């Protein structure tokens, strides 16, 4: 397995940054129409090619006059001028203002020959003879002279200017309808690996297929960094096809990104293409997540190979590739936003690499920002959205202490931490209620783990289903009850818990930390008591008791798919999926607030939602406000 | 002129905000492909429809084993297992792991039946008999169970989530290829007024035509606020056509914006359409810039009428319309960035309306942010880009004192004030040199005004051409010389300054504050001395001496266009425009730094550019490093 052999000699993050910065990915400038120029970057200076305005322009409604004809005029002693004509905006004056005359004029109209000022209409009175001017004006009053806004030949906008509505406005005024802008680096994206399927296509999980996360996520990240992504067809592990696509992408793009294949042979293909047509400049970087990384060239194109796991691929992209892309696109270095907080828990490390630790943020009751690590293990995609940024942990760090001050670099300055952080049991009514809160985050870690982390002081709320061993130090702010039992096929013969034990029923359980599992185990204890045996005697007789699923719908879905005969679940789920249901009981779901978070606005909002559940349980069978 | 009559009763800014917020501009949700979902906002909650991963997945390269077969294994005493086969990523296992056996497995591959854990390859040794396992593993080690990342039925993303690369990644993992998103409000943009011409089309300045600034600038601003702009053809002041377009836009859009016409009849058309098909809710707002503003409905569409001047139109849009658009698009309120600074100059007001004063920012030598008003008069478009934000000045404020602390709301959080602020003479070499500085701002106010404002402590640099009356308290950091004279047609008979006085030559002068004008006047003084007359005797004899232009190329351009026979200008300009040149002298251009700004990095950068002008004067005739 050559990738293990090859990645032994890791480059430092600084070397990796230099290697990527040393690639030439700057595209040629291009010309775009003005209405497509938003957010583009000027490739060169724009000088005004015309005077703006192009003529001496009236800046008020009123009368164009010869200023000296008004000298001495005031409210008490107006000067009377005869009216020689009218000038509207957008027409060439057909009148000349001779001494003793005036021309009615609209804002924006051309000052007629002879006139050198405008008197505001408010300071005039129409008379039978013409117009009485009740104020004196100086030459140039209420007139914008030709070129006074910007004159032909003057510097209007410098190279490197990013075009917003304001700059587009100025370019419009100059009559510019085609704008020379920095090119957007064209970035080819190849995903390799036989296991990958494009979203929208059918997935064969039994054959180990997974959806291709990196293609669309990287394409979006490329756009965010000012590049123009091009998705190439998925090559699988067909090496000839992979080689052909690599060459094609290198011919067509400024930069080629590949990611995904974990197979040694795929890496060998990439090596061969790079060796034949370019050079390999760096191989592996000492950072976590992200170790596997290739930097080199293929023909005239730059090449960066990214790790396959999405969190790793996006981290390497963000850290090393995005800055180079922005630079090539002429965009300024992104604003980074750094938040200082305190570790909510201790975090220990067994390995020496520098680490970009994905982290979530939550504010405690005193307004202190708490930082908790988000790590669902290699390959998890939910950590993409469960984190707000990362803590840069230097190489050799053994641990971050509970309460230690750390800096979190947000994924973007626009990231705003969730207003409400909950952890605990998953539940369909809870999902609905969260929709009513602005930017909540809920981690469905189960009842037991939710309570543990509430005790650690991390979440605002824990959601607890069924009985608990020890009542936590927390405030019950509301809840509901839900009917639980066995979700079965419509035609099932299963009618009770005993059937699970006594008949040959393929069962799917929930994991140990869930409230549903706890209620099932309590019922099994009762049945064991009834029969005068130990619980183990019953659980060993249940086919699949050890086969657990992590979410409330999962066992029922296995039943619907024909992979099981009965699953632990909710009546609401059976109704939703059109399955049968064997009721075993009703359990309470309680929302517990951390004692110091009662005053958080989002907790108060959630409490008032919980106070009025009547209409919100509509369509959820077996759910009742308590 | 009905607009003057109508706008007498002005609404407060708060009433205007309420009136716009009360309009219904929210579009229907829509469905977009995943690769077009960047920056869109989820219209509804997305629950996982599948387990991710969809199977128990190896998270390391190594061997799939039954954990209990490894119990007791360590480095000293490995357990030997026979190898039953190989499982690669993306294939269905064709092997079952029986007791005493293992299967080689790649990261990402399906855990084969029988196995419940993976041993990392680093803790194994291939042997002739199979594989030696040098560590014990527990069930589940190095395996990501089906649904452990996210389980079918679980809440994945909430409504209102803005989609970045991270969310697109999670949606990919769920196989979602079509995303329900909030609609983007469709915003029709109509510009009215006979004088407007679309950028790119020919302009007849003599007929008072100007380029239409508002259409493209508003379209860009609409996009920035999350809307989808639709430009309607320009209706001029053809009232039937304007009425037809208003009705069409109202039928097709969620919101119609009009701007531009200053004619009373155009406003009357808008009134008529609103009266017939909708209602008028507000008319005129007490804010400057921006007084003329209409809010109402036309059929099912909302309608806002904006002022015609670009700065006013964009201010009203930004203040009242953009927040409502963002809200309708489901976007969060924009982050505002407010900078506190000190007024660099006094600013007096003669009128009581609340005012959004466009302001520029500059840092003084001590790092204090100075704020200076940017006001080139009604209708100027350069103030769009010469300001960084605005100061909200309450109604009734008489003045802002020099040194007074004020808050400047930046146009967007991404606005970064210029690194270097210069004012003074305009000059073609200077334009080039500024291109080498990151984000400079240069206001070509002329030599005299540049010196005055340097004295006020506003700019970092003043650029001064020709002689000055009093040497300012400033440091000369470099400069050059430029040859000046009369720019004439190739066939011109003009060969000296005397010809200007003595012959019938149509001349174009520069304005009084420019260095070129000062040098011309000094030469005229010398000629007058020679002839024993006063200067006035000469200037009165020059046809066009009082006809001044604001920028260095303008007089030459009038010569090229046949509107004049001679213009005050530079030899470089004559060469550039292919015109003749009568040299009258050489003048120095000096760059003067404010004493407290010498240490600013941008000033130091500029000084080093000035130290090496040799190559930079290439192609500029008559320019020499001094």
């Amino acid at each position: 397995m050559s990738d293990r052999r090859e990645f032994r000699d890791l480059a430092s993050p600084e070397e990796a940054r230099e290697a990527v910065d040393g690639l030439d990915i700057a595209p040629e400038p291009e010309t775009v129409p003005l209405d497509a120029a938003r957010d583009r970057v000027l490739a060169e200076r724009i000088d005004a090619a015309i005077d703006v305005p192009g003529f001496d322009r009236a800046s008020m409604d009123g009368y164009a006059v010869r200023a000296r004809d008004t000298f001495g005029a005031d409210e008490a002693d107006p000067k009377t001028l005869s009216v020689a004509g009218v000038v509207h905006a957008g027409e060439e004056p057909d009148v000349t203002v001779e001494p003793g005359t005036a021309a009615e004029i609209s804002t924006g109209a051309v000052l007629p020959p002879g006139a050198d000022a405008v008197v505001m209409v408010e300071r005039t009175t129409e008379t039978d003879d013409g117009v009485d001017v009740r104020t004196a004006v100086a030459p140039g009053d209420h007139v914008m002279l030709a070129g006074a806004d910007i004159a032909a030949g003057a510097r209007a906008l410098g190279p490197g200017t990013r075009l917003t509505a304001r700059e587009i406005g100025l370019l419009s005024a100059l009559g510019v309808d085609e704008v020379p802008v920095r090119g957007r680096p064209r970035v080819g994206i190849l995903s390799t690996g036989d296991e990958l399927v494009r979203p929208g296509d059918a997935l064969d999980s039994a054959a180990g297929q997974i959806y291709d996360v990196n293609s669309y996520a990287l394409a979006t990240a490329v756009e965010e960094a000012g590049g123009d992504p091009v998705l190439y067809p998925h090559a699988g592990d067909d090496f000839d096809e992979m080689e052909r696509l690599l060459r094609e992408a290198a011919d067509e793009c400024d930069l080629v990104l590949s990611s995904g294949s974990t197979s040694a042979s795929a890496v060998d293909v990439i090596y061969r293409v790079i060796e034949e047509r370019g050079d390999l400049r760096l191989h592996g970087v000492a950072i976590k997540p992200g170790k596997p990384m290739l930097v080199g060239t293929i023909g005239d194109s730059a090449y960066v190979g990214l790790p396959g796991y999405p969190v790793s691929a996006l981290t390497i992209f963000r850290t090393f590739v995005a800055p180079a892309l922005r630079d090539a696109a002429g965009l300024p270095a992104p604003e980074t936003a750094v938040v200082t907080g305190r570790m909510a828990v201790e975090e220990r490390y067994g390995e020496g690499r520098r680490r970009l630790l994905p982290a979530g943020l939550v504010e405690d009751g005193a307004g202190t920002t708490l930082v908790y690590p988000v790590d669902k293990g290699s390959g998890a995609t939910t950590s993409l959205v469960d984190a707000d940024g990362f803590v840069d942990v230097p190489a050799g760090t053994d641990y971050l202490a509970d309460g230690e001050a750390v800096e979190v670099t947000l994924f973007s300055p626009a990231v705003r931490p969730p207003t409400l952080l909950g952890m605990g049991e998953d539940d369909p009514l809870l999902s609905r209620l969260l929709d009513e809160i602005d930017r909540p985050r809920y981690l469905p870690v189960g009842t037991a783990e939710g309570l543990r982390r509430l005790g650690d002081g991390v979440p605002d709320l824990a959601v607890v289903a069924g009985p608990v061993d020890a009542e936590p130090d927390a405030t019950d702010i509301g809840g509901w009850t839900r009917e639980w039992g066995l979700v079965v096929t419509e035609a099932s013969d299963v009618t009770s818990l005993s059937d699970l034990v006594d008949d040959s029923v393929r069962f799917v359980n929930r994991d140990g930390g869930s409230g549903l599992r706890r209620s099932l185990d309590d019922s099994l204890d009762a049945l064991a008591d009834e029969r005068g045996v130990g619980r183990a005697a019953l659980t060993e007789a249940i086919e699949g008791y050890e086969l657990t699923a992590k979410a409330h719908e999962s066992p029922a879905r296995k039943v619907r798919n024909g992979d099981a005969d009965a699953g632990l679940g909710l009546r609401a789920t059976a109704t939703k999926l059109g399955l049968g249901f064997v009721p075993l009981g009703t359990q309470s779901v309680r929302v517990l607030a951390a004692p110091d978070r009662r005053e958080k606005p989002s907790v108060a909002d959630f409490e008032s939602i919980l106070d009025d559940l009547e209409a919100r349980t509509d369509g959820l069978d077996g759910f009742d406000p308590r």
Side-chain angles (χ1 to χ4, degrees), chain A:
Chain A
M1 294 189 181
S2 68
D3 48 346
R4 284 197 298 278
R5 187 186 68 236
E6 303 282 359
F7 285 115
R8 215 161 271 167
D9 217 13
L10 299 178
S12 72
E14 292 70 28
E15 288 166 335
R17 181 70 186 264
E18 272 169 34
V20 177
D21 286 351
L23 298 171
D24 175 19
I25 55 179
E28 294 295 307
E30 56 182 324
T31 299
V32 297
L34 186 64
D35 59 2
R38 179 168 85 93
D39 266 353
R40 301 302 295 264
V41 175
L42 276 188
E44 54 192 67
R45 183 177 76 236
I46 304 275
D47 290 340
I50 58 170
D51 281 338
V52 178
F55 52 90
D56 296 342
R57 183 171 66 166
S59 50
M60 298 293 261
D61 289 337
Y63 290 87
V65 297
R66 301 171 84 97
R68 69 186 59 182
D69 285 349
T70 69
F71 291 172
D74 61 22
E75 291 288 336
D77 186 16
K79 299 270 181 184
T80 301
L81 302 173
S82 65
V83 177
V86 184
V87 193
H88 291 119
E91 61 184 36
E92 188 160 359
D94 59 0
V95 56
T96 297
V97 175
E98 305 289 352
T101 73
E104 191 180 330
I105 194 163
S106 309
T107 303
V110 181
L111 198 70
D116 59 9
V118 169
V119 183
M120 293 167 66
V121 69
E122 288 84 349
R123 310 302 295 273
T124 64
T125 311
E126 283 183 60
T127 67
D128 292 343
D129 299 335
V131 61
D132 280 359
V133 174
R134 304 195 312 271
T135 186
V137 289
D141 276 4
H142 306 312
V143 175
M144 180 178 260
L145 293 174
D149 189 356
I150 185 166
R155 190 177 200 271
L157 294 170
T161 303
R162 187 141 183 203
L163 302 175
T164 71
R166 302 182 296 128
E167 287 79 18
I168 301 275
L170 180 56
L171 291 171
S172 295
L174 297 174
V176 173
D177 65 335
E178 295 203 310
V179 192
V181 294
R182 299 281 296 259
R184 278 200 293 235
R186 201 171 156 85
V187 181
I189 298 172
L190 277 78
S191 65
T192 60
D194 268 345
E195 73 277 25
L196 298 182
V197 172
R198 281 276 157 95
D201 291 347
L203 194 70
D204 182 356
S205 287
Q209 292 184 339
I210 57 173
Y211 282 115
D212 173 8
V213 173
N214 288 344
S215 290
Y216 289 126
L218 285 173
T220 309
V222 163
E223 284 180 0
E224 287 169 356
D228 182 17
V230 185
L231 290 192
Y232 285 86
H234 177 231
D237 282 334
D238 174 339
F239 301 127
D240 291 342
E241 177 68 358
M242 199 191 303
E243 181 165 349
R244 195 187 67 71
L245 287 172
L246 265 178
R247 290 167 181 271
E248 183 180 321
D251 283 345
E252 295 173 349
C253 297
D254 299 301
L255 168 66
V256 176
L257 298 177
S258 74
S259 84
S261 187
T262 51
S263 84
S265 328
V267 172
D268 289 342
V269 171
I270 290 168
Y271 284 157
R272 193 169 68 237
V273 174
I274 292 179
E275 261 167 36
E276 282 171 18
R277 304 196 52 192
D279 69 306
L280 183 66
R281 301 187 182 173
L282 184 136
H283 191 168
V285 59
I287 198 163
K288 188 178 164 71
K291 184 166 64 176
M293 176 188 187
L294 304 179
V295 180
T297 60
I298 302 176
D300 291 334
S301 173
Y303 168 79
V304 177
L306 300 170
Y309 281 143
V311 173
S312 307
L314 274 184
T315 301
I316 291 290
F317 179 85
R318 188 185 296 123
T319 309
F320 301 104
V321 184
L325 263 185
R326 283 204 188 80
D327 196 48
L331 296 178
E335 294 177 82
T336 55
V338 174
V339 172
T340 301
R342 302 202 162 272
M343 290 297 290
V345 292
E346 185 184 87
E347 170 83 356
R348 290 202 159 268
Y349 299 111
E351 198 192 348
R353 264 192 284 162
R354 177 168 162 194
R355 183 178 298 252
L356 302 177
L357 173 72
L361 300 177
V362 62
E363 227 172 65
D364 73 8
T368 303
T369 298
L370 300 180
V371 180
Y372 57 92
V374 174
D375 188 4
K376 298 190 72 175
S378 293
T381 53
T382 42
S383 27
L384 287 171
V385 300
D386 286 344
D388 298 306
F390 58 87
V391 180
D392 193 338
V393 184
T397 304
D398 290 331
Y399 68 97
L400 298 173
D402 183 0
E404 180 171 343
V406 291
E407 293 200 329
V408 181
T409 302
L410 300 183
F411 288 131
S412 88
V415 165
R416 287 179 296 178
T419 53
L420 180 73
L421 178 64
M423 299 186 183
E425 192 77 3
D426 60 331
D427 179 275
L429 176 56
L430 178 65
S431 280
R432 279 189 190 182
L433 302 182
L434 290 169
D435 291 353
E436 300 184 37
I437 296 284
D438 184 33
R439 290 183 293 117
R441 176 176 291 150
Y442 188 77
L443 305 181
V445 294
T447 289
E449 179 73 359
L451 282 171
R452 191 181 70 74
R453 301 192 68 176
L454 190 74
D456 284 348
V458 181
D460 300 318
L461 304 174
V463 178
V464 169
V468 298
D469 291 325
E471 205 50 42
D473 174 22
T475 313
D476 185 326
I477 61 168
W480 56 91
T481 62
R482 60 184 192 179
E483 203 177 354
W484 67 276
L486 303 177
V487 181
V488 296
T489 56
E490 286 275 10
S492 171
D493 293 333
V494 177
T495 59
S496 71
L497 192 54
S498 295
D499 292 346
L500 262 198
V501 178
D502 303 328
D503 295 351
S504 173
V505 176
R506 293 172 303 158
F507 177 63
V508 182
N509 208 343
R510 282 295 309 278
D511 54 298
S514 76
L516 280 178
R517 168 69 171 266
R518 170 63 188 261
S519 287
L520 176 72
D521 286 348
D522 285 358
S523 294
L524 283 169
D525 281 342
L527 183 61
D529 280 354
E530 219 175 84
R531 296 190 180 187
V533 297
R535 195 215 293 178
L538 303 188
T539 59
E540 278 165 21
I542 299 176
E543 181 187 344
Y545 179 82
E546 300 294 346
L547 182 66
T548 62
K550 295 282 278 185
H552 72 269
E553 275 189 24
S554 301
R557 285 173 180 259
K558 288 209 192 301
V559 172
R560 191 181 57 173
N561 295 347
D563 297 331
D565 303 313
L568 179 58
L570 302 173
R571 176 183 288 280
T573 304
T575 306
K576 174 182 167 189
L577 298 180
L579 295 167
F581 185 68
V582 179
L584 295 178
T586 292
Q587 68 177 189
S588 69
V589 179
R590 295 181 298 150
V591 180
L592 304 178
D596 70 320
R597 314 284 172 90
R598 278 301 295 282
E599 306 305 320
K600 277 186 78 162
S602 59
V603 173
D605 285 353
F606 204 65
E607 185 165 358
S608 65
I609 290 169
L610 290 168
D611 281 346
D612 182 21
L613 288 182
E614 207 59 57
R616 295 176 164 106
T617 55
D618 266 7
L620 285 178
D621 274 4
F623 274 75
D624 279 302
R626 72 166 186 225

